Amino acid sequence: MNNKGKLWEIEAANFLRKKRYALIDANYSTRFGEIDLIVKNKKYICFVEVKQRDAGSIAQPAEFVNSAKQEKIKASAEIYLANNRTDLQPRFDVIEIYTDNNKIKSIKHLENAF
């Protein structure tokens, strides 16, 4: 992962903290792949994929979380949940970060993205 990707993940974690989510883990890695952020609130444990695109991009960031990527995240989440018991409902979210000249223009939180 490049430094920019790390920066966007930190920005996404800060954004979620402001929405009263607690960060559990970042860059959780399994043999299937990586989950950018794992956060929780009172009701959900969320497995979050962070995607960034330029504000003028023809596609939305979430469109780059294709079915193959979704399956990798789901498989990694299953391993996490098998090793970390919780009563919280699992959910898969995407954080879309729109930038212009490497400055954040907006952040969108897509709950239950897949």
Side-chain angles (χ1 to χ4, degrees), residues 48-109:
V48 182
E49 178 69 9
V50 178
K51 286 292 180 199
Q52 173 273 333
R53 288 291 173 267
D54 273 345
S57 177
I58 59 168
Q60 295 179 332
E63 293 179 56
F64 294 91
V65 186
N66 61 25
S67 59
K69 180 71 171 168
Q70 290 174 18
E71 291 308 313
K72 289 178 181 180
I73 294 168
K74 288 177 186 175
S76 296
E78 282 181 24
I79 291 172
Y80 179 87
L81 292 170
N83 294 318
N84 301 274
R85 305 268 315 137
T86 182
D87 292 329
L88 298 172
Q89 177 71 36
R91 192 176 77 197
F92 297 93
D93 295 357
V94 172
I95 293 284
E96 294 184 324
I97 298 179
Y98 293 90
T99 59
D100 188 19
N101 288 334
N102 286 322
K103 290 184 176 57
I104 294 175
K105 298 291 277 178
S106 66
I107 298 177
K108 266 171 85 175
H109 180 194

Side-chain angles (χ1 to χ4, degrees), residues 26-42:
N27 306 116
Y28 178 77
S29 204
T30 72
R31 62 190 171 101
F32 297 109
E34 183 182 272
I35 299 171
D36 292 335
L37 301 172
I38 302 174
V39 298
K40 69 176 180 177
N41 64 13
K42 289 182 177 147

